[in-house]
Amino acid sequence: MATPPVSPYQGVCPTPFLQESLFPNSGGSIANRFCAPLSLTDQAAPSCCLPCPTTEWLYPPSFSTWYKVAEWLNVGTLTVVFLLGISYLVLPAEATRRHYLSVSLLIPIAMITLGFIIPLAVKPNKCYNEITPNDMYTSLTCAWSGAFLLGGAIGSVSWICVRAVYMHLQIVWDINPGTRFFYASQVLGWGIPAILFTATITVTGVSFRLGDQCHINHEHSVAVFWGPLLGFASLAMIMQIATFAYCLKVYLLHFWADDSMSTENSSSLPSYTASLRTQSAKAVYRRVMKVLWLQWRGMAIVCALICDVVAFAVVFIQLDQTQEKITNGRSGEKTLDWLMCIIESGGDRTKCYALANEFMVKEATIVAILVLLSISGLQSCGLLYRNSIAQGWKELLWRMNPHKNHEFVSLDALTNPSTAGTPEPLKDFKSTTPARAPTSPPTYENILRIGSPHPIPAEHLQGTDFKDPNKVATTLITTQEINSPSSSYASPVGSVSRRGTDTPEFFRRSEERTYRSPSMSFSTPRTPGGGRVSDVGRGDFDLRTPAARGGLGLHPPIEDDPDVGGRI
């Protein structure tokens, strides 16, 4: 890399450092200048600063490439969050299984993604002057990206803490949080992040410190941001560990109950107390397993987000501490080696990246944290997704399809030449169905005169008020003779005859079926007419008589019957 040209602000500082006293003490983030005194012994020695942005002097160009990758990952995350939110809004609750804890968690996740996407779209100027980065007061892009990032981080931790408490109450204490918990969670889940966000923006602020987006400044950041953030994450982790410990305890009690039950059964009968204890352990085990099966997605979300937040906080706190040591003149030997490399190379940063990677947070670590933070939203949305959501969209699109109903159209309807769109082969087709004259709406008079099998003469209908159903009914009863149905209404079953096949012959001559008395009876042992037992097998036995009762003892199987004899 070519040596950078000499700047008029270099002063007494070696290349490529710039003298801080030659720049104004206002505008941009003064505290985030990467400056150090030229001499540690001479208090009057000027302070020299690295040119802005400092990231380009500490990390190779591949760092910027990976940062762009993280920003584009957030574009995909925002798309998935948007689709999931639309599904929650449009589809029924049976398809999405939406819950206010899930919806409330999607909002801060979307805010984090916006914190990465805004700089990607705007491509802001990260420096106020040659040594001073822009902050939220000098760059509107910095203000919005930093606000979305901080608000999303605090909101995510707050809602995963609420979710951890919710699952702890359900699993451990067998309490189903109701309306009171809902309102309390809304107040705490949004109220506490709002208070912490206001305090962070007011006291600490954000500026371009790493990459293309604005991060929280170092001053008072532990007290107003990192401390509460790690505190909520710790509380959620404690609740989660307590829930896991309870589940493990229930499993062990269930295992020991089965073991003791098998031991008692092998030795002697179990006591009532032991049996009751075993049933109680099994009931608790079944309840816990059922709740775990329903809440495993929420538990996975809590664990994943807690790990992301803790890793993000640890890395940035380490960055703050490293920068503080350098600016206060407390840098170690590795930092001095890197400074001497920059000075001796005349500002050729490519020769000193390896030395910078030894005292700064390693590039691979920062890239891993950025990518992990970018895909945390994808992880949460993947756990919140259900196959029923795709099925719900499929059914919704099917209902909205205007061509889904393919109604049957009769052939007669297509033969009308005046109908538009008549197929050519059907134009010459002539229907044999006679055309029907237009009919008027049915009235009581038409029904009485036409609808009856025996039409009522018109003279009987004179003076009848057809608007009154009672009078119409009276006229019908007094004028219509009640007869039995004609033969045309007779059931065809009565005329069924069988000629060697099982197919009924409805259109042949009818045959009358006569009742044939059975030769034997298998009823209770009661002879017909009070006769003897030997009279049961007589040919005049009639099952239609009330006394037709008998049994197998009165009717022994016939030796000649092959079906019966074969089973004896």
Side-chain angles (χ1 to χ4, degrees):
M1 179 179 178
T3 303
V6 178
S7 172
Y9 298 99
Q10 183 175 349
V12 297
C13 297
T15 305
F17 295 95
L18 303 177
Q19 188 172 337
E20 184 179 13
S21 59
L22 300 178
F23 292 91
N25 291 327
S26 62
S29 180
I30 306 298
N32 286 311
R33 292 174 177 176
F34 203 86
C35 303
L38 186 61
S39 176
L40 298 178
T41 58
D42 188 4
Q43 299 294 333
S47 179
C48 297
C49 306
L50 268 179
C52 179
T54 58
T55 307
E56 297 179 358
W57 294 89
L58 297 172
Y59 297 103
S62 59
F63 178 79
S64 300
T65 303
W66 280 108
Y67 208 98
K68 292 294 182 183
V69 171
E71 291 176 343
W72 282 106
L73 284 176
N74 280 275
V75 174
T77 302
L78 183 62
T79 303
V80 175
V81 170
F82 177 77
L83 293 177
L84 189 58
I86 291 296
S87 301
Y88 285 158
L89 184 63
V90 175
L91 298 180
E94 293 78 9
T96 59
R97 304 293 177 87
R98 60 176 177 262
H99 195 270
Y100 65 90
L101 294 178
S102 302
V103 177
S104 301
L105 184 61
L106 286 180
I107 297 176
I109 291 177
M111 294 173 65
I112 293 177
T113 60
L114 288 175
F116 282 88
I117 294 175
I118 290 177
L120 177 64
V122 178
K123 296 179 175 59
N125 183 15
K126 294 178 284 187
C127 298
Y128 180 77
N129 53 37
E130 284 80 355
I131 63 172
T132 309
N134 275 316
D135 59 2
M136 61 182 184
Y137 299 105
T138 57
S139 175
L140 188 61
T141 304
C142 176
W144 281 106
S145 64
F148 278 122
L149 183 62
L150 295 183
I154 300 175
S156 299
V157 175
S158 174
W159 280 106
I160 63 174
C161 186
V162 172
R163 181 180 283 273
V165 174
Y166 183 92
M167 291 186 297
H168 184 78
L169 292 176
Q170 271 196 329
I171 297 175
V172 178
W173 301 103
D174 195 16
I175 297 176
N176 188 16
T179 306
R180 294 183 179 179
F181 185 86
F182 168 76
Y183 288 112
S185 63
Q186 295 299 320
V187 172
L188 298 177
W190 299 115
I192 294 179
I195 296 174
L196 294 178
F197 173 78
T198 304
T200 303
I201 289 294
T202 304
V203 177
T204 304
V206 293
S207 61
F208 286 105
R209 299 183 55 195
L210 183 68
D212 296 335
Q213 69 176 155
C214 280
H215 297 274
I216 184 173
N217 295 325
H218 172 66
E219 186 179 7
H220 307 297
S221 61
V222 176
V224 298
F225 182 75
W226 296 117
L229 194 72
L230 293 177
F232 278 109
S234 302
L235 177 60
M237 180 61 72
I238 291 173
M239 301 296 292
Q240 198 75 351
I241 293 175
T243 304
F244 279 130
Y246 177 78
C247 295
L248 180 61
K249 173 187 174 183
V250 170
Y251 175 77
L252 294 178
L253 288 177
H254 175 70
F255 178 77
W256 289 336
D258 290 343
D259 189 31
S260 62
M261 193 69 180
S262 60
T263 304
E264 291 175 357
N265 288 337
S266 60
S267 59
S268 60
L269 293 177
S271 63
Y272 175 77
T273 305
S275 177
L276 187 62
R277 189 186 310 113
T278 302
Q279 293 179 3
S280 177
K282 290 183 177 181
V284 174
Y285 175 78
R286 287 193 297 267
R287 179 184 64 81
V288 171
M289 290 299 106
K290 181 178 179 181
V291 176
L292 283 177
W293 177 254
L294 296 175
Q295 297 291 342
W296 70 269
R297 298 172 184 267
M299 300 179 72
I301 290 174
V302 170
C303 293
L305 290 181
I306 287 177
C307 294
D308 295 343
V309 169
V310 171
F312 184 76
V314 169
V315 169
F316 272 86
I317 290 176
Q318 186 178 357
L319 280 173
D320 290 340
Q321 293 176 352
T322 303
Q323 183 178 355
E324 183 182 8
K325 290 179 180 180
I326 295 174
T327 55
N328 293 335
R330 295 183 288 108
S331 57
E333 294 181 359
K334 295 180 179 180
T335 306
L336 293 177
D337 293 340
W338 172 75
L339 291 174
M340 294 304 297
C341 177
I342 291 292
I343 295 172
E344 293 175 357
S345 63
D348 189 1
R349 67 188 77 169
T350 59
K351 299 179 180 180
C352 308
Y353 287 141
L355 296 175
N357 203 30
E358 293 182 2
F359 70 92
M360 292 292 294
V361 179
K362 297 186 180 301
E363 177 191 3
T365 304
I366 297 181
V367 169
I369 291 301
L370 292 175
V371 173
L372 187 63
L373 187 63
S374 301
I375 66 175
S376 61
L378 291 176
Q379 295 174 355
S380 302
C381 292
L383 292 172
L384 293 176
Y385 172 78
R386 299 173 182 270
N387 293 330
S388 58
I389 295 179
Q391 184 66 24
W393 277 111
K394 181 180 179 181
E395 295 177 358
L396 178 63
L397 295 177
W398 176 255
R399 291 195 300 266
M400 295 174 59
N401 185 12
H403 304 290
K404 67 173 183 177
N405 293 326
H406 302 284
E407 297 182 357
F408 172 77
V409 180
S410 64
L411 190 60
D412 294 339
L414 296 176
T415 57
N416 188 2
S418 62
T419 304
T422 304
E424 292 294 333
L426 299 178
K427 287 186 177 180
D428 298 334
F429 179 82
K430 294 182 180 181
S431 175
T432 58
T433 304
R436 297 182 179 179
T439 59
S440 59
T443 61
Y444 284 110
E445 183 178 3
N446 293 336
I447 293 174
L448 293 176
R449 298 188 60 182
I450 302 175
S452 175
H454 303 281
I456 303 174
E459 56 271 12
H460 292 287
L461 299 176
Q462 295 180 359
T464 303
D465 186 5
F466 292 99
K467 297 182 179 180
D468 189 359
N470 296 327
K471 294 183 179 181
V472 173
T474 304
T475 304
L476 178 62
I477 294 174
T478 56
T479 56
Q480 185 67 35
E481 181 180 1
I482 301 177
N483 298 321
S484 299
S486 60
S487 59
S488 60
Y489 296 96
S491 173
V493 178
S495 59
V496 174
S497 63
R498 301 180 182 268
R499 299 180 180 273
T501 63
D502 293 337
T503 304
E505 300 179 359
F506 293 104
F507 302 101
R508 299 181 181 271
R509 64 182 182 85
S510 61
E511 297 181 357
E512 183 179 359
R513 291 181 175 235
T514 58
Y515 179 79
R516 296 179 182 180
S517 299
S519 60
M520 298 181 63
S521 173
F522 294 93
S523 304
T524 57
R526 182 179 298 175
T527 59
R532 299 183 305 273
V533 175
S534 59
D535 297 335
V536 176
R538 294 181 307 172
D540 58 349
F541 180 78
D542 193 356
L543 278 177
R544 292 173 293 180
T545 60
R549 301 289 186 270
L552 196 60
L554 301 179
H555 309 283
I558 303 176
E559 299 292 340
D560 299 336
D561 192 349
D563 294 335
V564 178
R567 295 191 296 267
I568 299 300

